[in-house]
């Protein structure tokens, strides 16, 4: 009996069963090709929407993506000199995918990276970059400022732009090999599919010539020589494609391993720079009194413009001083006890439970009298200890009169200018007013013909741009007391007439002493008596201005001199009594 082709070494299998066994490996590959991902960071639909919205709002992000795409994509066809099929691999997007991953790694509360085996080969460089970013010690610090904040995450991406360019430049070779590995993998997958299609074609042709007739064994049916040969050729092509894919994958892995140390160093430096920038911007916002809630509600472009203005403000270098002033004032507010109980002088009626006399409290222990206690409490008729304590704080407007004459531009100890100290104190007084529900007015003055008034009503949010206008304005020139104090008195008079509020507070921040007329002084004292306002003076780096015989001393109820401009606590008592 002669040998069948399948029994001959290197021959073509003679039956469909033998062809199927030979093609089994490729059939399984074509049927169950694993899903490969182009994103290294696992993200849900809402994360992707956040990235897309942020990308659309940020012109800087779009410009960066376009630049990287133009410079670093299409590497495969440049390297291998042939057209590259982008239909399945989306190679044109690998730089944008990298930006997406860097954004999501900073934005997500608990970012999770995919396993390397899950990644599309063309994105292995991206995976290595993002892994290096996430594993750097500085990344945790960065995410304290960026997690859950799309704007801050976008700024982190932009802060890392220079490092990302360097990484992409240094990994061109590795990316070329990764793209080649992707193409080789696609070729292998197509070759596996071709095997399955050739086998199906052979089976169909066998049926047509009667191999599948009734009673016949399909597995032992003989395909035509041409069909069997076609299957054999696709199997050989698949084997060659598989070998090429393995070789390409190995080459890509070696190139990536060689580039990994450099990627880790660059990534760490990039994250450190981004973290520093994020901390600086957050501190800048806090220093200028822009709260997290306000930032969340602010449109992306508006927030970007605000950050840029804060960075370039005249007082930008004094942001740390401004922040310390506001923090100090906040601490002093926490220590202040308004209407503190002092010496007991008798018994009165009211509903202040902290001053209820013991006999009244005893009624709470008797069920039958609890309703009586509640009724008397509601009517304000409980018996209370009456006391004589500290003077209650003001309830009218807080007005900061800030000297902006030429001499205020001079620097004192620590290099801090007198203007910077005065403006920082004024901004802390603005916070004081908002905390107490009082109007705030900032009056900038110098010579008699130079005055600018900034009003911040208590019933409206303090617009950050308006606050910056107040802080940045510098008039220059000489010094006049009468003009700003007259303006302050007129504002308190207006407040009294409109809202019947008295007991405002005026704070004079100056480094100079100047005369006032007797007639003006008489009118000033009359206004103080009628409206009940107080005047506090701060002589900045000018001890003689705080002397007992100075004009400022005569004008003020409370005057202090500040010599060390690095010490924000020199004005701490202001925030306990105002």
């Amino acid at each position: 009996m002669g040998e069948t082709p399948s029994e001959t070494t290197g021959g073509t299998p003679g039956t469909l069963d033998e062809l199927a066994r030979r093609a089994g490996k490729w059939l399984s590959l074509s049927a169950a090709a694993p899903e490969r991902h182009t994103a290294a960071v696992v993200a849900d639909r809402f994360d992707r929407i956040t990235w897309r919205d942020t990308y659309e709002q940020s012109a800087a992000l779009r410009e960066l993506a376009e630049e990287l795409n133009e410079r670093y994509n299409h590497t495969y066809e440049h390297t291998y000199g042939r057209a590259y099929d982008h239909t399945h691999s989306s190679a044109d997007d690998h730089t944008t995918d990298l930006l997406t991953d860097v954004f999501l790694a900073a934005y997500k509360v608990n970012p999770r990276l995919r396993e390397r085996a899950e990644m599309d080969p063309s994105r292995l460089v991206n995976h290595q970059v993002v892994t290096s970013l996430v594993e750097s010690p500085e990344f945790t610090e960065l995410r304290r400022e960026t997690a859950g904040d799309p704007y801050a995450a976008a700024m982190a991406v932009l802060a890392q732009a220079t490092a990302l360019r360097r990484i992409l430049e240094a990994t061109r070779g590795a990316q070329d090999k990764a793209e080649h590995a992707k193409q080789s993998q696609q070729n292998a997958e197509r070759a596996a599919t071709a095997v399955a299609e050739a086998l199906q074609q052979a089976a169909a042709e066998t049926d047509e010539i009667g191999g599948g007739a009734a009673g016949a064994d399909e597995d032992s049916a003989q395909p035509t020589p041409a069909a069997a040969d076609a299957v054999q050729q696709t199997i050989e092509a698949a084997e060659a494609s598989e070998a090429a894919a393995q070789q390409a994958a190995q080459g890509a892995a070696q190139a990536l391993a060689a580039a990994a140390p450099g990627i880790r160093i660059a990534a760490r430096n990039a994250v450190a720079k981004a973290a520093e920038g994020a901390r600086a911007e957050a501190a800048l916002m806090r220093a200028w009194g822009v709260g997290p809630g306000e930032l969340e509600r602010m449109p992306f472009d508006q927030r970007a413009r605000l950050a840029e203005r804060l960075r370039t403000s005249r007082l930008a270098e004094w942001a740390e001083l401004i922040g310390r002033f506001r923090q100090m004032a906040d601490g002093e507010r926490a220590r202040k006890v308004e209407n503190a109980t002092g010496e007991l002088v008798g018994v009165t009626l009211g509903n202040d439970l902290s001053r209820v006399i013991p006999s009244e409290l005893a009624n709470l222990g008797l069920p039958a009298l609890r309703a009586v206690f509640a009724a008397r409490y509601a009517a304000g008729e409980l018996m209370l200890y009456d006391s004589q304590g500290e003077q209650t704080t003001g309830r009218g407007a807080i007005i900061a009169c800030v000297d902006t004459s030429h001499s205020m531009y001079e620097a004192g100890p620590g290099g801090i200018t007198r203007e910077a100290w005065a403006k920082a104190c004024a901004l802390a007084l603005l916070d004081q007013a908002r905390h107490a529900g009082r109007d705030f007015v900032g009056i900038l003055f110098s010579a008699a013909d130079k005055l600018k008034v900034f009003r911040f009503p208590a019933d409206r949010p303090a617009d950050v741009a308006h606050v910056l206008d107040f802080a940045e304005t510098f008039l220059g020139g000489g010094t006049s007391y009468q003009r700003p104090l007259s303006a302050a008195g007129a504002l308190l008079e207006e407040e009294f007439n409109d809202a019947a509020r008295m007991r405002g507070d005026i704070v004079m921040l100056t480094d100079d002493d100047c005369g006032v007329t007797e007639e003006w002084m008489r009118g000033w004292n009359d206004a103080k008596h009628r409206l009940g306002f107080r005047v506090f003076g701060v002589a900045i780096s000018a001890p003689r201005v705080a002397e007992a015989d100075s004009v400022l001393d005569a004008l003020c109820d409370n005057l202090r001199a500040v010599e060390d401009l690095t010490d924000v606590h020199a004005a701490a008592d202001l925030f306990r009594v105002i």
Side-chain angles (χ1 to χ4, degrees):
M1 185 175 180
E3 292 180 339
T4 64
S6 64
E7 294 170 327
T8 304
T9 302
T12 302
T15 66
L16 283 177
D17 182 47
E18 291 168 343
L19 286 173
R21 281 198 299 272
R22 182 85 178 270
K25 174 181 178 180
W26 314 110
L27 296 178
S28 62
L29 287 177
S30 65
E35 182 182 4
R36 303 291 182 180
H37 296 276
T38 56
V41 179
V42 178
D44 59 27
R45 181 166 61 93
F46 299 104
D47 295 329
R48 291 189 290 272
I49 290 174
T50 299
W51 159 251
R52 186 170 64 248
D53 290 346
T54 305
Y55 184 83
E56 290 174 353
Q57 293 177 60
S58 173
L61 273 182
R62 295 194 302 274
E63 290 169 5
L64 177 60
E66 291 169 5
E67 176 205 333
L68 298 183
N69 178 64
E70 180 67 26
R71 183 180 298 182
Y72 297 109
N73 279 320
H74 312 294
T75 56
Y76 182 91
E77 59 190 81
H78 290 168
T79 302
Y80 294 94
R82 66 174 90 102
Y84 183 48
D85 179 9
H86 299 301
T87 305
H88 302 290
S89 68
S90 301
D92 281 338
D93 297 328
H94 90 267
T95 52
T96 303
D97 283 345
L98 176 59
L99 296 184
T100 306
D101 280 331
V102 174
F103 171 86
L104 292 175
Y107 170 73
K108 287 178 66 64
V109 175
N110 293 302
R112 182 171 66 85
L113 302 187
R114 287 190 167 87
E115 296 297 327
R116 181 170 169 169
E118 299 178 75
M119 296 300 297
D120 185 297
S122 66
R123 300 302 191 270
L124 289 177
V125 172
N126 288 6
H127 186 272
Q128 180 64 58
V129 173
V130 178
T131 299
S132 298
L133 292 172
V134 172
E135 291 179 351
S136 64
E138 294 80 5
F139 185 71
T140 301
E141 296 181 23
L142 173 64
R143 289 184 54 259
R144 289 194 184 102
E145 305 295 344
T146 61
D149 187 338
Y151 170 86
M155 292 302 104
V157 174
L158 295 173
Q160 297 174 84
T162 299
L164 292 176
R165 291 186 189 97
R166 291 173 181 166
I167 290 173
L168 289 170
E169 188 67 39
T171 56
R172 275 185 185 272
Q175 184 63 37
D176 289 347
K177 292 182 182 298
E179 299 287 359
H180 180 40
K182 170 61 177 178
Q183 178 68 7
S184 297
Q185 182 190 69
Q186 286 183 329
N187 291 340
E189 290 171 357
R190 283 194 287 268
T193 301
V195 171
E197 292 173 349
L199 188 61
Q200 290 174 353
Q201 182 63 30
E205 291 180 4
T206 302
D207 286 342
E208 289 178 2
I209 62 175
D217 184 352
E218 290 189 9
D219 291 338
S220 61
Q222 290 284 134
T224 64
D229 187 57
V231 174
Q232 179 65 20
Q233 289 180 12
T234 58
I235 291 173
E236 291 172 355
E239 290 172 343
S241 293
E242 181 189 39
Q246 290 175 348
Q247 183 177 3
Q250 184 178 5
Q254 290 173 346
L256 187 57
I263 291 175
R264 283 192 289 270
I265 293 172
R268 183 170 183 176
N269 292 337
V271 173
K273 181 178 179 181
E276 181 182 357
R279 284 194 302 270
E281 183 164 312
L284 201 59
M285 293 294 182
R286 287 192 297 270
W288 288 96
V290 186
E294 186 176 357
L295 289 176
E296 290 177 6
R297 295 189 297 272
M298 198 175 292
F300 188 97
D301 287 345
Q302 182 183 346
R303 185 169 171 183
R305 289 193 299 271
L306 173 61
E308 179 62 21
R309 184 176 179 187
L310 292 179
R311 281 192 293 269
T312 58
S313 164
R314 283 187 61 251
L315 296 183
E317 63 180 306
W318 311 120
E320 191 269 341
L321 172 70
I322 295 169
R324 285 195 294 121
F325 238 111
R326 284 180 142 151
Q327 187 176 19
M328 176 275 294
D330 188 59
E332 293 303 319
R333 277 194 295 274
R335 293 173 53 191
K336 181 169 64 173
V337 180
E338 296 185 10
N339 303 318
T341 302
E343 178 186 1
L344 295 178
V345 295
V347 175
T348 186
L349 298 180
N351 58 5
D352 185 350
L353 297 179
S354 67
R355 294 159 52 203
V356 175
I357 66 175
S359 61
E360 288 278 28
L361 290 174
N363 291 335
L364 286 175
L366 301 174
L369 296 180
R370 287 174 185 168
V372 177
F373 182 94
R376 294 179 63 186
Y377 171 77
E381 295 178 351
L382 294 175
M383 287 188 291
L384 314 175
Y385 284 126
D386 197 9
S387 63
Q388 187 175 36
E390 296 179 5
Q391 181 181 359
T392 55
T393 58
R395 283 294 176 266
I398 297 176
I399 302 177
C401 296
V402 182
D403 187 350
T404 59
S405 60
H406 284 312
S407 59
M408 288 290 286
Y409 198 68
E410 295 178 7
I416 298 172
T417 65
R418 298 170 182 179
E419 179 206 8
W421 196 95
K423 294 282 183 65
C425 184
L427 291 174
L429 288 169
L430 168 59
D431 290 348
Q432 189 86 346
R434 315 246 13 122
H435 185 269
R438 301 168 67 181
D439 289 351
F440 176 81
V441 181
I443 298 179
L444 304 180
F445 70 94
S446 57
D449 61 341
K450 293 184 178 181
L451 187 85
K452 194 154 188 180
V453 178
F454 296 82
R455 304 185 70 161
F456 299 88
D459 58 355
R460 277 179 276 170
D463 181 69
V464 180
H466 196 44
V467 173
L468 277 169
D469 289 340
F470 166 62
E472 291 182 321
T473 300
F474 189 82
L475 302 176
T479 305
S480 168
Y481 282 175
Q482 289 187 193
R483 180 86 188 277
L485 289 175
S486 294
L491 287 168
L492 293 176
E493 182 88 46
E494 177 186 330
E495 183 180 39
F496 174 73
N497 293 335
D498 291 346
R501 284 199 295 268
M502 298 177 62
R503 295 174 26 238
D505 291 310
I506 299 172
V507 181
M508 278 284 288
L509 298 139
T510 182
D511 70 340
D512 198 6
D513 202 34
C514 63
V516 295
T517 66
E518 290 185 8
E519 181 181 1
W520 181 90
M521 195 67 177
R522 284 194 297 270
W524 176 251
N525 288 331
D526 288 344
K528 279 187 68 178
H529 179 73
R530 185 174 66 259
L531 301 174
F533 59 79
R534 300 177 296 181
V535 183
F536 299 85
V538 183
I540 304 170
S541 290
R544 65 177 182 80
V545 178
E547 292 176 358
D549 60 348
S550 69
V551 174
L552 190 61
D553 179 64
L555 290 170
C556 296
D557 303 297
N558 183 295
L559 176 62
R560 82 282 328 278
V562 176
E563 286 298 313
D564 184 1
L565 300 188
T566 64
D567 181 15
V568 299
H569 292 278
D573 61 320
L574 279 177
F575 300 93
R576 289 196 294 270
V577 297
I578 291 180

